[in-house]
Amino acid sequence: IAQRLAALTQHLERALRQRRLGEFLLPGHAPHLCARAPQDGALPQVQAALERARIVLQVRGKGLRIAPHLHIREAQLDELVSVLAEAI
């Protein structure tokens, strides 16, 4: 389980960096989750875009907690990254 979750998180991080969103990854996270801090003031528009796309994430402080579960596929993470890229 831990290996699969770590692989999903690594896939997500690579996809974020490919879309030039990696600089907003918060360092020091666990292998099975990561956080993304949108630019100042962008969180409401990001939340609205995620809601329209029916993607559920948790807001923690000024960031989004992204914790893929075992049933999540890489293509779904790619969709998440596309929505984030368009919203910012």
Side-chain angles (χ1 to χ4, degrees):
I1 293 173
Q3 289 177 338
R4 174 67 180 146
L5 294 176
L8 287 170
T9 301
Q10 290 169 359
H11 176 88
L12 175 62
E13 289 180 344
R14 278 192 303 275
L16 287 168
R17 287 189 179 94
Q18 287 173 348
R19 296 294 293 265
R20 300 178 191 238
L21 300 173
E23 68 271 13
F24 299 109
L25 284 168
L26 301 177
H29 61 76
H32 63 282
L33 64 88
C34 64
R36 183 172 192 302
Q39 298 169 343
D40 287 340
L43 190 55
Q45 70 192 37
V46 170
Q47 286 179 285
L50 291 169
E51 187 175 313
R52 285 190 301 275
R54 303 182 85 176
I55 297 173
V56 178
L57 296 179
Q58 296 296 314
V59 175
R60 295 287 191 261
K62 295 181 181 181
L64 298 170
R65 180 180 179 265
I66 306 170
H69 293 276
L70 289 173
H71 66 275
I72 297 296
R73 297 180 315 274
E74 286 84 354
Q76 291 171 296
L77 294 174
D78 295 339
E79 177 64 23
L80 166 62
V81 171
S82 293
V83 171
L84 290 173
E86 291 174 17
I88 295 177

